[in-house]
Amino acid sequence: MHVNENVKCIRTQVAIVGAGPAGLILALLLQKEGIDSIIVERQSRSHVETRARAGLIEHHIVEFLQHHGFSEGLDLNGIPHTTCEFRQNGRRYKIPYGDRVGGSHYVYPQQFVVQDLIRLFISRGGKILFSHPAVKIEGLEDNLPVVTCSYQDDDSRNLLLHIQADYLAGCDGFHGISRSSIPITHVKTITKQYGIGWLAILAEVPSSTEKLVYALHKSGFAGQMPRTSQITRFYLECPPSDLSSDWPDDRIWSELDKRLAVEGDNKLIHGPIIEKRVLNMRSFVMEPMQYKNLLLAGDAAHIITPVGAKGMNLAIADADVLSQGLIQYYRNQDKSLLKEYSNIRLPHIWKTQEFSDWMIRLIHHTADTDENKYQAFSNRLRQARLERLQQSDTYAKLFAEDYVGLWKP
Ligand SMILES: Cc1cc2nc3c(=O)[nH]c(=O)nc-3n(C[C@H](O)[C@H](O)[C@H](O)COP(=O)(O)OP(=O)(O)OC[C@H]3O[C@@H](n4cnc5c(N)ncnc54)[C@H](O)[C@@H]3O)c2cc1C
């Protein structure tokens, strides 16, 4: 390694790339056990603390956060949800999923989860290097991993920091560098493009109903998900090639009014749109999720469409299992759990992908190209599924178990 005055070297037990939910949970769990870690994060603290994404937290993940004492904000401000509503042809199909399985979803925006975890980790002496993008990972072959980050000092000089560690945790999301540091001959990447886009919208308005709403419409899917008392997330299905500039605010509200229309009085409240972006519905899973002493967690290892609201939940569950493997290693010099990390996580990840795929087919008539040809047929199938969800305890229970996150392999 070339060392000069512009390069610093430090050492830690576990270097974590990325301060999203996966990286922060992992760091906090290691910290509780006295295992030293450093998180390097590409973005500034204010950027990661205001990045609005997920909102739904599964039952088991809520319990996990409470068990570890990571849930102060969630306990104060999270809103439990037990009923969702599907809509088709102006008709409502209410699904009281909470009653079916005795569990609930919590709505608590991801940026608040991230804020809470950062505050907790730092208050307990944890180190997060913000605005330190990881630019290179080396030494994996020799089991002496080093992650190099670039950063600027107070005089705006460009500097490098090498972090040597026993283990690297790649928690740097889909666009990070960890995954691409693994030789492609060692991994299989399994992907699916659905050919569907969602315009994801955040509006500064109260939701017109407390429930999560999934509307099936011939112009495409629309969703309404409360986030806080004053902020609502909406989704509109659109071609994945659309740009957010194709969707001026007037067009968004008129499409939402049309697609979310329903029997009874449930008019949408219009107001300022504070964010809009087009998401491409795609899924990918990398197998295995590890190579030598580099272990991936969260979106770095798998992407799931936001349809079932599972990505952050999977990221936290990965971090939990990964921390257990690392703790076992540092307590007993026993690597057996770490070696099994991918084998433990992948069945759960695939089960969740299967649920998300089922939801995609339920709420989009464009999910299969063949279905465009057979639209009338597939619309009737969707209606039959919704009726069965309402009428059959067994069918509804199966849905509820997956949706709330009570199913574990
Ligand atoms: C609109 C939308 C709605 C969603 N809704 C839900 C939902 O309701 N429920 C749910 O469970 N999930 C949902 N998700 C998915 C969820 O947001 C992600 O799955 C979750 O953020 C994954 O967490 P992570 O920690 O793996 O990755 P991220 O949150 O992406 O964190 C990765 C971190 O790594 C950093 N990073 C990247 N590259 C580098 C580098 N080179 N060096 C250092 N740092 C780097 C990034 O800046 C980032 O902070 C949604 C996503 C979107 C976009």
Side-chain angles (χ1 to χ4, degrees):
M1 191 188 305
H2 176 68
V3 177
N4 64 34
E5 61 180 13
N6 291 334
V7 181
K8 271 207 251 167
C9 285
I10 52 175
R11 203 195 130 69
T12 185
Q13 289 175 301
V14 182
I16 299 172
V17 187
L24 290 163
I25 289 287
L26 177 64
L28 276 159
L29 292 170
L30 297 179
Q31 188 182 48
K32 278 181 93 176
E33 289 292 316
I35 298 166
D36 187 45
S37 73
I38 294 176
I39 305 182
V40 295
E41 167 56 51
R42 178 174 55 186
Q43 303 288 358
S44 67
R45 179 169 178 175
S46 63
H47 182 99
V48 295
E49 288 191 338
T50 50
R51 198 168 40 193
R53 285 171 163 184
L56 270 189
I57 309 185
E58 291 180 341
H59 186 91
H60 273 321
I61 298 295
V62 170
E63 284 182 339
F64 162 85
L65 295 170
Q66 288 171 338
H67 171 77
H68 286 284
F70 303 157
S71 65
E72 206 183 324
L74 172 69
D75 293 338
L76 274 176
N77 300 312
I79 304 164
H81 276 253
T82 54
T83 306
C84 66
E85 183 174 298
F86 290 92
R87 295 178 181 174
Q88 194 185 29
N89 301 327
R91 200 176 140 192
R92 295 170 198 273
Y93 298 82
K94 272 190 207 160
I95 315 292
Y97 54 85
D99 295 349
R100 304 276 187 195
V101 285
S104 54
H105 253 149
Y106 269 65
V107 171
Y108 187 58
Q110 177 167 339
Q111 68 273 28
F112 297 165
V113 174
V114 167
Q115 283 170 27
D116 295 347
L117 299 176
I118 289 176
R119 199 176 319 115
L120 196 60
F121 182 60
I122 291 176
S123 72
R124 295 175 176 180
K127 287 179 230 106
I128 308 180
L129 303 176
F130 291 102
S131 306
H132 276 61
V135 290
K136 203 185 259 181
I137 288 177
E138 294 170 288
L140 292 176
E141 294 302 329
D142 308 320
N143 293 327
L144 292 169
V146 178
V147 56
T148 302
C149 318
S150 66
Y151 68 104
Q152 286 197 331
D153 68 6
D154 295 342
D155 302 322
S156 301
R157 285 186 309 154
N158 291 321
L159 304 173
L160 291 178
L161 174 69
H162 294 309
I163 307 177
Q164 297 176 327
D166 303 330
Y167 285 97
L168 299 186
C171 305
D172 46 351
F174 184 73
H175 301 288
I177 66 154
S178 300
R179 189 180 59 253
S180 52
S181 307
I182 299 181
I184 47 168
T185 48
H186 183 76
V187 286
K188 214 188 288 169
T189 300
I190 302 162
T191 60
K192 165 101 185 173
Q193 290 278 356
Y194 285 92
I196 294 172
W198 272 13
L199 183 71
I201 302 141
L202 273 181
E204 217 169 58
V205 291
S207 174
S208 67
T209 158
E210 287 169 358
K211 289 181 267 311
L212 306 167
V213 175
Y214 301 86
L216 289 55
H217 192 274
K218 60 180 187 316
S219 304
F221 163 75
Q224 179 180 224
M225 326 265 151
R227 284 295 192 246
T228 67
S229 59
Q230 288 309 315
I231 305 276
T232 303
R233 192 175 268 299
F234 294 97
Y235 293 113
L236 278 171
E237 181 183 345
C238 63
S241 53
D242 270 15
L243 303 172
S244 50
S245 52
D246 295 328
W247 287 88
D249 294 4
D250 288 352
R251 183 179 175 206
I252 290 177
W253 286 117
S254 95
E255 235 9 69
L256 285 170
D257 283 338
K258 180 177 82 184
R259 297 190 200 180
L260 287 163
V262 71
E263 63 200 9
D265 184 20
N266 228 164
K267 285 220 170 324
L268 292 184
I269 303 155
H270 293 197
I273 287 176
I274 51 178
E275 193 184 296
K276 52 187 167 184
R277 59 190 276 219
V278 175
L279 307 175
N280 183 5
M281 292 300 116
R282 60 180 175 159
S283 284
F284 110 102
V285 179
M286 203 185 83
E287 294 179 347
M289 296 159 60
Q290 62 200 98
Y291 175 69
K292 303 272 185 177
N293 290 10
L294 170 62
L295 300 116
L296 306 184
D299 281 11
H302 42 77
I303 288 278
I304 189 161
T305 70
V307 176
K310 299 294 185 189
M312 178 169 73
N313 293 286
L314 285 178
I316 293 175
D318 285 354
D320 178 24
V321 174
L322 179 52
S323 76
Q324 291 172 34
L326 288 164
I327 290 166
Q328 188 180 77
Y329 168 69
Y330 283 107
R331 272 193 199 152
N332 312 320
Q333 296 297 301
D334 175 0
K335 291 188 183 173
S336 55
L337 199 53
L338 271 180
K339 285 193 179 139
E340 284 304 301
Y341 168 63
S342 302
N343 292 337
I344 296 169
R345 287 303 298 142
L346 284 167
H348 182 198
I349 289 157
W350 277 114
K351 178 66 190 65
T352 313
Q353 291 282 7
E354 191 278 331
F355 173 67
S356 159
D357 186 83
W358 179 86
M359 279 277 284
I360 285 191
R361 282 161 214 289
L362 178 71
I363 63 178
H364 302 93
H365 62 74
T366 45
D368 274 318
T369 37
D370 274 358
E371 290 198 16
N372 285 330
K373 203 163 128 198
Y374 300 117
Q375 231 184 74
F377 187 83
S378 66
N379 277 338
R380 299 296 191 285
L381 291 188
R382 254 176 285 282
Q383 189 174 337
R385 273 181 216 135
L386 291 179
E387 283 169 5
R388 199 161 169 215
L389 263 181
Q390 270 208 317
Q391 292 156 6
S392 156
D393 274 353
T394 314
Y395 199 61
K397 201 167 167 198
L398 212 60
F399 165 76
E401 217 173 66
D402 279 325
Y403 189 56
V404 167
L406 276 168
W407 190 89
K408 267 192 169 177

